[in-house]
Amino acid sequence: MAVSSSGFTTHPDFKRSRLSSSPFHANNNGLELRKKKRRLSLFLDGNGVRVNRISSCCCSDSVVRRASGSGNSIDKTEEKRSHRSRVQAITALPFPSPQSRFGTKQEKFYSRCTPRNSGPQSRDTPPKRDTGIANEKDMGIDLLNEKVNESGINEDGSSWFRKSGEDLGENGYRCRWKKMGGRSHDTSSQWEETWWEKGDWTGYKELGVEKSGRNAEGDTWWETWQEMLHQDEWSNLARIERSAQKQAKLGTENAGWYEKWWEKYDAKGWTEKGANKYGRLNEQSWWEKWGEHFDGRGSVTKWTDKWAETELGTKWGDKWEEKFFAGIGLRHGETWHVSPSGGGWSRTWGEEHLGNGKVHKYGKGTTGESWDIVVDEETYYEAEPHYGWADVVGDSSQLLSIEPQERPPGVYTYLDFGSSPPPSADDSLDLPSPPLQ
């Protein structure tokens, strides 16, 4: 919900978007990244990507020998038509690239012409940058109600496997899982994917996916997605949490990226969201962190911090924060730049929104500039998340349908009431160091 000091919804004139700006964009000193004759394509498919697809037809008969866990084997021959897509992508800053290297290498993995009802299709697609946390319906988690252990070899020599099962534990714990994967005939490229759902008598439910892969050139990727429902031990409110981690690394160059995203919601409107990102392109590295916190009673805090550097010693960045409640609040930020010789500049700014239609604006820079004025201006901020508790519940039907073991008569749930204090708000930002450094 957009809130203005006059009580009416207004359009924002505060234009400090965390997605539209980047430390790699040109700053006031005119700093430019060195142009590359050849841009790496590891950093594709984020926001601002333009994709052109040209379809071409390919397929041949594929023979798969399938061996089940019971020892039965069946030979089947079936013809299947499929289309492959060649993808060319042009991505926005910070890492422009004339062509998607991963997009074209998908065609070099395993044959997609596998007969229906045989092995799993190749999951050879790396994660996409800057796409946040997917909804569960987009993850395609489809668990089996039976135990499966089977494998096979395709006509081109590539192999596959598929397993599924169920694990049981104390307090009604039940975990249903499915694991599948494949590799090329020379094992130079492979992929693996695991799905699971968990639940117990406390009401805890969890849905998750983990993916990984590599190709013959040494490019690797890894991705996890998780969604859970539990009762908060301090407020006793139902809470849904979602998270995703993604990374990809180029095998032949010093280039890669890593992202961690998280979202937390409770039944009274408390919401927390954030992300931690890292990327590298040869001698250039960049970082970005941002967070949002809504307390469910009208108070909101948002912040962004992003910075970049080169191996030559040039560094630059930008950060800002805002806190509002009942139309009164503060915004402040800083932009800075450091040169290899040690020189540099910085500029700080602030806005005090007084709640009466007036805003106190102030700031100063190391170049001698300064300002301190009071203006008549509407106050705009988001007092409620655009995606909240009702939305996440509506998008979590598969999570909510998870069932634990059937509870025998006279058996009660064991609850562990620990004495540890609740996690602080900063705990969500205590992320591991980027694995690509």
Side-chain angles (χ1 to χ4, degrees):
M1 178 177 68
V3 176
S4 69
S5 59
S6 61
F8 296 95
T9 301
T10 60
H11 294 286
D13 54 9
F14 175 60
K15 299 179 180 178
R16 282 178 288 276
S17 170
R18 60 172 172 268
L19 295 179
S20 62
S21 61
S22 166
F24 275 92
H25 290 182
N27 55 38
N28 291 344
N29 267 15
L31 179 65
E32 297 181 355
L33 299 177
R34 290 191 297 170
K35 295 183 179 179
K36 298 286 185 177
K37 293 182 179 179
R38 174 179 174 271
R39 285 291 188 180
L40 305 178
S41 58
L42 182 64
F43 310 91
L44 297 178
D45 301 321
N47 291 337
V49 173
R50 183 172 68 252
V51 178
N52 301 317
R53 289 183 173 86
I54 304 175
S55 296
S56 60
C57 223
C58 78
C59 204
S60 62
D61 293 347
S62 179
V63 179
V64 176
R65 181 171 302 276
R66 196 174 161 191
S68 67
S70 62
N72 297 329
S73 61
I74 303 174
D75 290 336
K76 293 184 179 181
T77 304
E78 183 179 351
E79 181 177 344
K80 179 181 179 181
R81 285 293 187 185
S82 67
H83 292 275
R84 290 181 182 168
S85 298
R86 292 187 177 180
V87 182
Q88 285 188 331
I90 306 298
T91 186
L93 288 173
F95 301 124
S97 172
Q99 186 178 16
S100 170
R101 176 171 177 177
F102 274 138
T104 57
K105 285 181 180 177
Q106 292 178 21
E107 303 175 4
K108 301 177 183 179
F109 270 70
Y110 323 103
S111 172
R112 292 183 181 271
C113 309
T114 307
R116 290 183 297 272
N117 301 323
S118 60
Q121 284 195 348
S122 174
R123 310 276 182 143
D124 53 26
T125 304
K128 298 179 180 180
R129 282 187 58 241
D130 227 4
T131 53
I133 305 173
N135 288 329
E136 63 178 33
K137 64 180 180 180
D138 299 320
M139 300 307 297
I141 302 175
D142 184 16
L143 297 169
L144 304 175
N145 292 320
E146 58 189 27
K147 185 176 182 179
V148 171
N149 185 0
E150 56 189 8
S151 60
I153 300 177
N154 297 318
E155 184 183 44
D156 62 358
S158 61
S159 59
W160 58 268
F161 75 90
R162 177 167 48 205
K163 301 178 181 179
S164 65
E166 180 179 87
D167 300 328
L168 304 179
E170 298 180 352
N171 215 23
Y173 172 84
R174 182 172 75 157
C175 174
R176 298 170 60 217
W177 56 270
K178 181 178 179 181
K179 189 172 185 178
M180 67 195 86
R183 60 178 57 186
S184 60
H185 70 283
D186 59 359
T187 71
S188 61
S189 54
Q190 65 182 39
W191 65 274
E192 195 170 287
E193 186 165 336
T194 304
W195 303 339
W196 68 86
E197 66 172 34
K198 301 177 182 179
D200 63 24
W201 294 337
T202 68
Y204 178 84
K205 302 175 187 288
E206 179 183 316
L207 200 62
V209 174
E210 181 173 4
K211 306 177 183 180
S212 61
R214 74 165 187 252
N215 59 27
E217 288 77 12
D219 303 334
T220 59
W221 56 89
W222 170 80
E223 177 180 10
T224 64
W225 176 93
Q226 192 175 14
E227 184 177 56
M228 68 178 73
L229 168 70
H230 65 98
Q231 184 178 13
D232 182 75
E233 61 180 299
W234 296 97
S235 66
N236 289 325
L237 293 173
R239 176 178 288 190
I240 292 179
E241 299 184 10
R242 305 195 304 180
S243 63
Q245 293 189 71
K246 311 172 187 180
Q247 77 171 34
K249 189 174 183 180
L250 203 62
T252 57
E253 301 285 350
N254 185 17
W257 59 270
Y258 167 81
E259 297 177 351
K260 180 173 182 176
W261 301 72
W262 65 91
E263 300 174 356
K264 302 178 182 180
Y265 309 85
D266 79 10
K268 282 196 172 181
W270 178 92
T271 302
E272 180 180 287
K273 303 180 182 182
N276 185 7
K277 309 176 188 179
Y278 165 76
R280 175 184 291 170
L281 179 61
N282 291 326
E283 75 279 2
Q284 305 159 5
S285 299
W286 65 274
W287 296 260
E288 179 182 355
K289 297 181 180 181
W290 64 264
E292 298 179 352
H293 181 265
F294 302 84
D295 71 350
R297 298 185 296 272
S299 177
V300 57
T301 300
K302 295 184 179 182
W303 63 274
T304 293
D305 188 5
K306 57 182 74 174
W307 67 101
E309 65 181 38
T310 69
E311 291 183 354
L312 297 178
T314 302
K315 301 178 181 179
W316 64 102
D318 178 78
K319 60 182 178 181
W320 60 265
E321 182 185 48
E322 66 175 35
K323 296 182 178 181
F324 281 93
F325 177 72
I328 300 174
L330 173 69
R331 289 189 179 113
H332 61 95
E334 179 183 10
T335 302
W336 56 273
H337 170 265
V338 176
S339 65
S341 61
W345 59 267
S346 66
R347 180 184 298 111
T348 58
W349 59 269
E351 298 178 355
E352 289 182 288
H353 294 255
L354 307 177
N356 56 2
K358 295 186 180 296
V359 179
H360 174 210
K361 297 187 176 184
Y362 56 91
K364 63 181 180 179
T366 56
T367 57
E369 60 182 328
S370 65
W371 62 97
D372 192 336
I373 58 175
V374 176
V375 298
D376 294 324
E377 186 174 291
E378 295 284 351
T379 295
Y380 173 88
Y381 68 99
E382 296 288 341
E384 297 178 358
H386 71 279
Y387 186 95
W389 174 254
D391 303 294
V392 73
V393 169
D395 288 335
S396 303
S397 57
Q398 188 173 358
L399 173 72
L400 300 177
S401 67
I402 295 175
E403 295 291 341
Q405 297 181 53
E406 184 176 351
R407 194 198 317 253
V411 176
Y412 300 96
T413 303
Y414 168 74
L415 298 176
D416 181 13
F417 296 98
S419 58
S420 59
S424 66
D426 292 337
D427 285 347
S428 61
L429 305 178
D430 187 16
L431 302 175
S433 299
L436 303 175
Q437 286 184 312

